[in-house]
């Protein structure tokens, strides 16, 4: 419930993550969800006809049954819908349409039990024809969960929403007893009954729930490895952990959160010993920040290259040469923070937030503290100001329409061609492929940017995405500029130098694919590699041979390679300091109309994206994916 680290995953146990977007009527990107009036009279489940009219939950609600439903929800749904059922799980912004917010007035609890059962068991592809195309990441749970498990989950959702909507009530006084009640009801699903981080969701959570018996949390006002203050714990409970499955519990009353602190502290013997010995917390204070200056940024960059780039890389994308030593999935170690995305910083992206992170370090991680014995305040502020130049603290806006710029010049696959400076850049969120095994539960590639340009004959795309590892096969083709080994800081000079760390050869290559419908003007294919009636055309680049090949697909595992005469896409790639840049180019129209997408100005064209991180073991269906976006060739 407090701070967390990366988990090992058991794909055999991990069921489908739900994107329960059909709980209430709305329209997103041309999609209208059904209402209670649209429910069919009956559905077929495993060959058996089930009448929906008048269908009630056959299981009587009870405390034990609701708890069992909660375990099912936590294992399967909360990465999208969130621990608080508000649609703000870590995949909450990955797909269009987004997961439902069950807390809203017209959520699933306002529908009949039959409606909820229908939408869960049949998913997006089970919608009536009038609601096509089915472009949601909502899977069908038929065959994944039993009917009994679905009814238990519905009980949990209903009861939790009722509890969630109740206004915070003041308790007489914060107490250990009250804290235990709240903890077992709201926190044990992740942290376990005894606080060891081994709750039902532990193997399905990224990062893994904190083991509260150790007494450590990452975000504190105390020094590295020291116990947090009560205020630190209160802040962690209230604010949650940005970018993780740990939500903020600010909707609980202040007294309830204080009761939680009392119980959490009782789970670790360290707090009792600390009090018994009469110790007092020594907190790290943040001095008044100096005025920002470019001279300070220059000093900060120099200090960053010496002290930080070994892990974070020279441009802050987590691709430093010592990262290979830090990231060890068998020990739940995590990648260094991507500093280009400040909106994900756990504590925050203000100057004061970053200063405190540097001074305190992140306990239980490889991020150390920057001791005042070695680093004066001004040097810390200089590093802070340089880090803040690496990325905007505001998350880029997601736009459903990607505009393709018209140019009069010839197109090329040159990554630095002049026309790219004029082309608009679009931010695309990605999520893991979670509908079929093998799945990518927590992918490395979680977003990309795309630019596009065309002339009277050709179209070109420039795609960029961050990846802290690269395929060493690209080194032979002079396509890699990796972060160098940083010079030793002054306080370590004279010690034995570290040996050269060679890049890790992944089991699978890195890869990227653009996806288009083969036939335009007809029903849009299913967003996940098409369907038998509606094939897609994929342009897939692979790092191992640095080539792009054209494929057709009629489903996630139904790909077919086009023949040599149909291969018409040119490509150029570069990996530089934790980021791939790929340019793909093809003629607007080619002769194989039955298998290739034809581009035409003024005609909207659906486009989707696939990325595979070979270092993460991603291949075939295990990948990052996007929903459909719309491509428009501007005249």
């Amino acid at each position: 419930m407090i701070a967390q680290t990366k988990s090992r995953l058991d794909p055999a146990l991990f069921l489908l993550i739900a994107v329960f977007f059909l709980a209430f009527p709305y329209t997103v990107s041309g999609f209208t969800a059904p209402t209670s009036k649209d429910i069919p009279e009956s559905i077929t489940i495993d060959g058996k006809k089930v009448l929906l009219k008048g269908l009630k939950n056959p299981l009587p609600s009870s405390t034990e049954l609701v708890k069992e439903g909660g375990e099912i929800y936590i294992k399967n749904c909360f990465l999208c819908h969130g621990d608080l059922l508000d649609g703000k799980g870590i995949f909450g912004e990955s797909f269009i349409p987004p997961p439902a917010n069950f807390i809203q007035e017209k959520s699933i609890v306002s529908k009949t039990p039959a409606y909820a059962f229908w939408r869960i068991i049949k998913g997006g592809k089970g919608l009536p024809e009038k609601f096509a195309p089915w472009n949601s990441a909502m899977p069908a749970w038929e065959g994944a969960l039993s009917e009994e498990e679905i009814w238990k989950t519905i009980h949990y959702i209903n009861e939790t929403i009722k509890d969630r909507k109740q206004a915070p009530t003041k308790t007489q006084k914060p107490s250990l007893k009250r804290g235990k009640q709240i903890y077992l009801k709201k926190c044990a699903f992740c942290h376990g009954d005894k606080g060891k981080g081994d709750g039902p969701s532990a193997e399905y959570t990224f990062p893994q729930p904190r083991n509260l018996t150790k007494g450590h949390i990452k975000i504190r006002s105390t020094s590295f490895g020291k116990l947090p203050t009560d205020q630190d714990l209160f802040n962690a409970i209230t604010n949650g952990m940005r970018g993780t499955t740990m939500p903020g519990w600010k909707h609980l009353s202040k007294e309830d959160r204080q009761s939680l602190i009392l119980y959490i502290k009782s789970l670790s013997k360290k707090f009792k010993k600390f009090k018994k010995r009469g110790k007092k917390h020594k907190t790290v204070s943040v001095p008044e920040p100096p005025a920002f200056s470019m001279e300070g940024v220059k000093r900060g960059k120099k200090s960053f290259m010496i002290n930080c780039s070994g892990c974070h890389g020279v441009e802050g994308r987590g691709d430093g040469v010592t990262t290979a030593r830090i990231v060890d999935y068998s020990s739940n170690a995590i990648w260094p923070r991507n500093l280009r995305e400040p909106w994900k910083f756990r504590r925050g992206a203000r100057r004061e937030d970053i200063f405190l992170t540097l001074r305190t370090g992140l306990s239980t991680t490889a991020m150390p503290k920057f001791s005042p014995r070695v680093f004066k305040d001004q040097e810390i502020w200089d590093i802070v100001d340089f880090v803040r130049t690496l990325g905007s603290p505001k998350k880029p806006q997601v736009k459903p329409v990607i505009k393709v710029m018209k140019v009069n010049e010839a197109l090329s696959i040159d990554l630095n061609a002049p026309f790219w400076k004029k082309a608009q850049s679009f931010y695309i969120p990605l999520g893991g492929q979670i509908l079929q095994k093998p799945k990518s539960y927590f992918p490395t590639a979680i977003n990309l940017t795309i630019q596009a340009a065309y002339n009277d004959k050709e179209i070109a795309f420039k795609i960029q995405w961050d990846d802290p590892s690269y395929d060493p096969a690209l080194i032979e083709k002079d396509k890699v500029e990796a972060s160098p080994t940083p010079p030793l800081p002054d306080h370590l000079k004279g010690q034995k130098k570290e040996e050269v760390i060679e890049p890790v050869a992944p089991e699978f290559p890195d890869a990227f694919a653009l996806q288009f419908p083969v036939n335009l003007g007809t029903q849009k294919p299913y967003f996940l590699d098409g369907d038998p009636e509606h094939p897609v055309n994929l342009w897939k680049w692979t790092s191992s041979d640095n080539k792009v090949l054209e494929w057709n697909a009629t489903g996630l595992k139904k790909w077919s390679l086009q023949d040599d005469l149909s291969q018409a896409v040119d490509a150029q790639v570069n990996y530089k300091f934790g980021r791939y840049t790929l340019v793909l180019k093809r003629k607007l129209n080619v002769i194989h109309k039955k298998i290739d997408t034809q581009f035409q100005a003024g005609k909207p064209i659906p486009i989707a994206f696939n990325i595979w991180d070979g270092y993460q073991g991603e291949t075939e269906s295990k990948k990052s994916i996007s929903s459909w976006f719309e491509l428009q060739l501007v005249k």
Side-chain angles (χ1 to χ4, degrees), residues 579-628:
R579 165 163 280 204
Y580 274 111
T581 300
L582 173 68
V583 170
L584 301 173
K585 181 174 71 75
R586 202 206 73 177
K587 291 182 179 179
L588 292 173
N589 298 287
V590 290
I591 60 175
H592 302 88
K593 296 183 178 181
K594 292 184 178 181
I595 59 175
D596 287 323
T597 302
Q598 310 295 313
F599 297 92
Q600 182 179 337
K603 191 170 187 178
I605 302 169
I607 182 173
F609 307 87
N610 299 254
I611 295 179
W612 293 262
D613 181 0
Y615 186 87
Q616 291 274 55
E618 292 183 349
T619 185
E620 298 180 349
S621 65
K622 189 176 182 181
K623 59 184 177 180
S624 298
I625 58 174
S626 79
S627 300
W628 283 116

Side-chain angles (χ1 to χ4, degrees), residues 281-322:
H281 293 288
K282 295 180 180 180
T283 59
V284 178
S285 60
V286 180
E288 185 70 21
F292 176 87
S293 70
M294 290 310 300
E295 290 76 13
V297 170
K298 291 178 181 179
R299 295 192 302 266
K301 181 177 181 179
K302 181 179 179 181
S303 185
F304 179 92
M305 295 306 163
I306 296 172
N307 299 289
C308 311
S309 68
C311 294
H312 291 284
V314 299
E315 292 191 358
R317 295 191 177 96
D319 62 308
V321 295
T322 58

Side-chain angles (χ1 to χ4, degrees), residues 135-166:
N135 296 321
S136 167
M138 171 67 179
W141 288 84
E142 183 177 3
L145 291 178
S146 68
E147 294 180 37
E148 182 176 295
E149 288 174 318
I150 291 175
W151 285 119
K152 289 179 180 179
T153 305
I154 291 173
H155 268 316
Y156 170 77
I157 292 172
N158 289 337
E159 292 300 319
T160 303
I161 292 175
K162 290 177 183 178
D163 180 68
R164 175 75 168 82
K165 286 187 174 182
Q166 291 180 357

Side-chain angles (χ1 to χ4, degrees), residues 519-571:
N519 303 308
L520 302 176
T522 62
Q523 180 178 308
K524 192 183 298 182
Y526 189 50
F527 81 106
L528 197 58
D529 296 357
D531 54 77
E533 290 75 31
H534 309 93
V536 295
N537 179 205
L538 293 132
W539 305 356
K540 184 179 180 182
W541 167 84
T542 305
S543 63
S544 55
D545 56 10
N546 193 25
K547 291 183 180 180
V548 59
L549 295 174
E550 288 194 70
W551 298 75
N552 290 112
T554 55
L556 190 59
K557 298 183 179 180
K558 297 179 180 179
W559 285 43
S560 58
L561 181 64
Q562 295 184 7
D563 60 36
D564 291 343
L565 294 177
S566 301
Q567 301 297 333
V569 180
D570 294 325

Side-chain angles (χ1 to χ4, degrees), residues 351-363:
R351 295 175 79 196
E352 294 84 355
D353 296 329
I354 302 173
F355 183 98
L356 191 56
T357 296
L358 291 172
R359 274 293 190 226
T360 62
L362 298 176
S363 294

Side-chain angles (χ1 to χ4, degrees), residues 103 160-171 178 186 249-257:
I103 309 303
T160 303
I161 292 175
K162 290 177 183 178
D163 180 68
R164 175 75 168 82
K165 286 187 174 182
Q166 291 180 357
T169 56
K170 290 187 177 182
T171 56
R178 176 62 178 161
K186 302 183 181 298
W249 295 86
K250 62 182 65 177
H251 61 282
L252 297 179
S253 69
K254 182 179 179 180
E255 290 78 11
D256 280 350
R257 281 174 278 168

Side-chain angles (χ1 to χ4, degrees), residues 430-445:
L430 303 172
Q433 189 292 110
I434 53 176
L435 290 112
Q436 295 185 33
K437 296 181 179 179
K439 309 166 192 172
S440 182
Y441 303 117
F442 309 111
T444 302

